[in-house]
């Protein structure tokens, strides 16, 4: 199994405003320019579905299916959407085709996601992470440090999958056990009949095992990313971020071995059943953890930094992650940078382009103003996007 360094061909069918698209690219950065509403972010979103999870808009599975103008968002899609990509793999020189989309043919579209690796169905979407690592920054993420912990935690987890695809599997195992426990407790509350205590024991055992694996993987990832940031030294015009993960299990692992943390968490789940039932949620666990970032040079938490500084901190994190992957897995992630050039001053823009080219990362950059990418010249491939079509190479 290898890890991809670049997409060489992208195919979309019935995805958002793309009826169908076939795009051939090489390993250089890809610049997509076009007017508002052309389909630039949609194309990045399609690429983001080639990683485990719900993509860069966290959209529902049927939401991204193409709907003709005037059709209600709730209407079932007429045809299943699909995204697939041919990937060039690091080292071996070989390739693999990975794809995902809705199940079913035109006659019967099902709201079930399928994943294929070289044409063969994969058991779970987490298989995507074995082949490709995708990181993204979008304008919505300008609020990442200002809002609740959910998006920060997901950002951290996605970066961590890149280094350790097993993390995605443990998270998915944890989520499914968490949902199942929640359902049992809700049934008990609604019906007044006690849930099967043995079944709860089994679920909580699964929950505790995967929870500790998730917390340990986050700690390990943060430690390695922090070490890579420290080792990189000068970060140019991008501030150096100090990164940590905050959560009950993550902190417990500071002072106790994993098995002890797991036993203690399982015990807390058992005694907390009544309280969790009343709250309608599991109150303690790694699904509540947060990522904390501090601007190293001035010691300010990211939330207190200026909008531009917050963006620069995020860019610094994503670049450090890409460098870590390059040195650890021998493959850089695909970077989806939506409207990033428009948000940076000239010096930072030039530094970002230089960093991307230095990494050899296939970054997909979007913007309405092609002039902002002019300095990339032939070191990038430039396309115009219009009405859900690639108008041509610029
Ligand atoms: N499910 C869908 N089916 C068809 N069209 C859709 C669907 N979802 C979104 N669209 C349309 O896709 C168009 C392109 O959206 P997108 O966000 O990709 O534009 P963009 O090129 O990034 O524009 P901007 O420069 O404003 O960010 C929008 O007009 C939107 O209405
Ligand atoms: Mg956009």
């Amino acid at each position: 199994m290898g890890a991809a360094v670049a997409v060489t061909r992208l195919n979309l069918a019935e995805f958002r405003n793309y009826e169908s698209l076939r795009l051939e690219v090489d390993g250089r950065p890809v610049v997509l320019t076009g007017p508002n509403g052309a389909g630039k972010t949609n194309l990045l979103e399609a690429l983001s579905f080639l990683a485990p999870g719900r993509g860069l808009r966290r959209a529902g599975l049927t939401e991204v299916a193409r709907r003709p103008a005037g059709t209600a968002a709730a209407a079932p899609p007429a045809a299943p959407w699909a995204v697939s990509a041919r990937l060039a793999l690091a080292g071996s020189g070989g390739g693999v085709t990975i794809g995902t989309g809705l199940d079913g043919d035109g006659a019967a579209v099902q709201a079930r996601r399928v994943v294929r690796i070289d044409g063969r169905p994969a058991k779970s979407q987490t298989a995507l992470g074995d082949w490709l690592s995708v990181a993204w920054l979008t304008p919505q993420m300008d609020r990442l440090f200002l809002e609740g912990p959910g998006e920060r935690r997901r950002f951290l987890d996605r970066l961590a999958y890149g280094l350790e695809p097993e993390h995605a599997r443990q998270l998915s195992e944890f989520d499914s056990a968490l949902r199942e426990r929640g359902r049992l407790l809700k049934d008990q509350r609604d019906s007044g009949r006690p849930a099967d205590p043995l079944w709860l024991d089994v679920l909580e055992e699964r929950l505790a095992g995967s929870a500790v694996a998730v917390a340990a993987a986050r700690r390990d990832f943060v430690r390695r990313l922090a070490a890579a940031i420290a080792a990189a030294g000068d970060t140019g015009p991008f501030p150096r971020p100090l990164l940590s993960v905050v959560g009950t299990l993550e902190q417990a692992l500071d002072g106790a071995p994993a098995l002890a943390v797991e036993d203690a968490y399982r015990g807390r789940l058992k005694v907390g059943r009544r309280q969790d039932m009343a709250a309608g949620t599991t109150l303690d666990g790694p699904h509540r953890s947060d990522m904390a970032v501090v601007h190293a040079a001035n010691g300010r938490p990211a939330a207190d930094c200026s909008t531009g500084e917050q963006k620069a901190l995020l860019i610094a994190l994503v670049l450090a992650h890409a460098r870590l992957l390059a040195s650890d897995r021998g493959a850089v992630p695909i970077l989806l940078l939506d409207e990033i050039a428009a948000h940076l001053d000239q010096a930072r823009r030039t530094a970002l382009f230089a960093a991307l080219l230095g990494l050899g990362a296939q970054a997909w950059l979007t913007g309405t103003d092609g002039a902002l990418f002019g300095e990339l010249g032939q070191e990038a491939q430039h396309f115009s996007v219009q009405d859900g079509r690639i108008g041509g190479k610029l």
Side-chain angles (χ1 to χ4, degrees):
M1 206 170 279
V5 286
V7 169
T8 54
R9 192 183 66 232
L10 176 68
N11 283 83
L12 309 187
E14 299 294 336
F15 186 90
R16 297 264 189 206
N17 69 332
Y18 291 87
E19 185 175 354
S20 84
L21 173 82
R22 180 190 164 96
L23 178 64
E24 311 248 356
V25 288
D26 58 43
R28 288 173 296 164
V30 181
V31 176
L32 304 166
T33 50
N36 295 141
K40 305 178 297 293
T41 304
N42 290 348
L43 201 144
L44 299 195
E45 184 185 27
L47 285 162
S48 70
F49 271 101
L50 296 172
R54 290 167 54 187
L56 57 73
R57 286 189 176 109
R58 286 187 54 71
L61 271 185
T62 53
E63 200 181 316
V64 298
R66 190 173 69 94
R67 282 185 308 271
T71 329
W81 61 269
V83 177
S84 73
R86 181 78 188 159
L87 307 176
L89 300 178
S92 68
V96 64
T97 301
I98 66 173
T100 187
L102 272 190
D103 202 7
D105 51 32
V109 181
Q110 289 169 13
R112 197 169 71 90
R113 184 167 172 189
V114 284
V115 169
R116 286 205 167 75
I117 311 290
D118 272 339
R120 281 184 294 278
K123 269 215 297 275
S124 142
Q125 52 167 297
T126 54
L128 294 166
D130 293 334
W131 299 100
L132 185 64
S133 161
V134 186
W136 58 79
L137 291 175
T138 66
Q140 286 70 32
M141 288 165 68
D142 290 353
R143 301 197 51 79
L144 193 82
F145 295 118
L146 305 178
E147 287 171 351
E151 285 301 314
R152 283 189 297 276
R153 186 174 59 245
R154 278 186 281 275
F155 175 77
L156 178 72
D157 282 329
R158 279 196 306 271
L159 294 181
Y161 301 164
L163 205 63
E164 188 42 84
E166 182 59 23
H167 182 50
R169 291 197 175 84
Q170 291 291 350
L171 256 177
S172 142
E173 164 79 8
F174 172 76
D175 283 339
S176 96
L178 189 69
R179 268 197 309 273
E180 181 79 356
R181 179 177 183 268
R183 217 169 9 240
L184 280 189
L185 293 179
K186 182 177 181 302
D187 285 351
Q188 172 169 343
R189 193 178 60 179
D190 294 349
S191 70
R193 277 192 308 276
D196 177 354
L198 289 179
W199 184 224
L200 275 171
D201 283 348
V202 169
L203 276 179
E204 287 168 359
E205 180 151 359
R206 260 177 66 198
L207 200 60
S210 52
V212 172
V214 163
R218 285 182 186 149
R219 276 167 46 94
D220 185 52
F221 171 69
V222 163
R223 191 178 47 74
R224 290 167 74 182
L225 190 61
I229 292 170
D234 181 25
T235 48
F238 296 109
R240 196 155 58 83
L242 296 177
L243 179 68
S244 57
V245 53
V246 184
T248 49
L249 296 190
E250 286 87 348
Q251 259 68 74
L253 286 165
D254 281 339
L259 270 180
V261 174
E262 188 178 324
D263 283 346
Y265 181 49
R266 200 172 51 230
R268 290 204 299 283
L269 287 169
K270 193 166 179 142
V271 298
R273 284 174 191 170
R274 198 150 283 284
Q275 211 187 353
D276 287 348
M277 185 173 69
T281 182
T282 301
L283 291 165
D284 181 16
H287 56 300
R288 313 207 99 183
S289 301
D290 198 355
M291 171 185 82
V293 173
V294 169
H295 188 304
N298 61 26
R300 274 197 194 95
D304 297 342
C305 292
S306 77
T307 317
E309 285 172 334
Q310 292 182 29
K311 186 100 185 180
L313 281 167
L314 282 174
I315 293 173
L317 280 175
V318 166
L319 290 176
H321 170 255
R323 278 189 213 101
L324 177 60
L325 249 68
S327 66
D328 193 89
R329 295 190 80 195
V332 276
I334 304 280
L335 303 178
L336 310 177
L337 305 176
D338 197 19
E339 280 178 46
I340 213 155
H343 290 235
L344 296 175
D345 58 40
Q346 176 65 49
R348 287 197 172 81
R349 197 155 58 230
T350 302
L352 174 65
F353 292 162
L356 296 175
L357 294 172
L359 272 163
Q362 191 186 49
W364 294 66
L365 301 143
T366 65
T368 49
D369 182 3
L372 293 181
F373 304 97
E375 62 185 285
L376 276 168
Q378 290 306 305
E379 300 204 76
Q381 41 206 327
H382 303 255
F383 296 94
S384 74
V385 185
Q386 184 92 44
D387 282 339
R389 275 187 296 273
I390 297 286
K393 214 162 175 166
L394 298 176

